[in-house]
Amino acid sequence: MLTEKELKEYSDNARASYLPHISIDCVVFGFHEGMLKVLLLHMKNENGWYLPGGFVLKDEPIELSANRILKERTGLDEIFLQQFHVFGDPQRSKDHFEMYKDMLPRAENWFTDRFLTIGYYALVDFCDAIPQPDIFSADCIWRDLDDLPELKLDHALILKTALDTLRLQLNYQPIGYNLMPKEFTMPELQKLYETILDKKLDRRNFQRRMLGFGILKRSEKPRKGGAHKAPYLYSFDLENYQAALTEGFKGGW
Amino acid sequence: MLTEKELKEYSDNARASYLPHISIDCVVFGFHEGMLKVLLLHMKNENGWYLPGGFVLKDEPIELSANRILKERTGLDEIFLQQFHVFGDPQRSKDHFEMYKDMLPRAENWFTDRFLTIGYYALVDFCDAIPQPDIFSADCIWRDLDDLPELKLDHALILKTALDTLRLQLNYQPIGYNLMPKEFTMPELQKLYETILDKKLDRRNFQRRMLGFGILKRSEKPRKGGAHKAPYLYSFDLENYQAALTEGFKGGW
DNA sequence: ACAAAAGTGTTTGATATACACCCATGT
DNA sequence: ACATGGGTGTATATCAAACACTTTTGT
């Protein structure tokens, strides 16, 4: 539980270090055992959950802020982070006004100012990320996307928007590099797509299409040990992957 | 030419009214005589040009801010405005620091603070818009996209990003409602697409595809008076158009 | 031997591209 | 009459969807 004194201290520190009225919220997607997960924080002194977020240092490029926040929460660095929307409704943080209203006068509490938040989403390998709570939180854990708890503020909207954006991106950008382990099988990659899109895809057509993008390299050795026929292992061809990221897939016109 | 006194006054007013460190810049595209135009401002006391921009009132939703700014610059209201990116490099406004450095101390000049800017783009009917300069500007005029003057700050980057976004959107969203007059011919609409994409399209295939989207209504009467065969007039089917805006065109997966 | 996972086709329909022809109108 | 802009149609290639068969491996 946060004391008034601590809150005041955090508030003063934040005011001194960060740009006012601007925050960053990260929707960190992970993938594990066929389930899409998202990283959520649970506050010490209340019930709801939050997306991991943070603020922009007074002289810090926002892309760095987003990366810093992601790193602080997952230990991961150099991850594809996609800015997707700014949420700027003045009413979006009224939960906060309520929550802190008896602790510290509004004027003294930096955190109850109005904030615009810049939404970023990240796709990370579930296994590499080590969730770390921040100073306000009791927990930082992966939650299943289809079993979400109640989210505070407008974080449900932010999450939904991120997911919609991700699904759109899927149509003209490669996805998976940060979500999959170094090597993976085609069915595993397919499972990722199916999970994100929440629909079944045809095994054979998926494979053909995926290979057609030219962003995969097939390893010599198939995965051994498993039951049934041994699947081939693939990894992303980083060069082509990056190119596809910038250029996109299907032209259209 | 802006006097120091005026600047101080504007600065103090702005500080009192707007959120600090946050601005909005609008890339307003218009279409006229087969040319894509963009609305630019020319400052009184310097050479470069700017995108029309503004600030967010302390209690104003950012979508309203963008609309307000657009309205102040063009007189147009209820226009499709698309938020497309936040530009948050701390160095992005160093032009401003230079420009004002001899006029007013940094601490007193609100406009030389660091600003993140939220980029919006709008597509408007060239004929309906009446360019209005703001208090800092001598001129607000349409400039041809392929004959751009030097842009200040990072506004060239913002403009380029807007154009890239627009071209991407073209692949899965209808475009044109705000750029075209109420009624237009198919060749006219095609010209718009060709101009945005900067490439020639096949007349017949364009028509088939466009009609396939089901967002156009054909008027009874063809356009009379012109030379050669009278073309049909079309208008957008607003209902389907809106639906296509939210749902997008070609599914992908 | 067989069930289940995975690799590799083939057939079919839709969609895009390229191209040809016809119609109307002012000079 | 003819050049030009504009409407409509058709053959072809390309791609996506649906579906079948074969191979491997643990039980």
Side-chain angles (χ1 to χ4, degrees), chain A residues 34-47:
Chain A
M35 301 282 291
L36 207 55
K37 313 259 186 179
V38 64
L39 212 52
L40 291 183
L41 292 172
H42 184 234
M43 293 299 183
K44 287 167 184 160
N45 46 347
E46 43 170 336
N47 285 320

Side-chain angles (χ1 to χ4, degrees), chain B residues 202-205 208-209 226-229:
Chain B
D202 184 279
R203 204 164 53 87
R204 303 148 273 198
N205 295 334
R208 192 193 347 259
R209 186 162 171 180
H228 320 301
K229 179 166 182 175

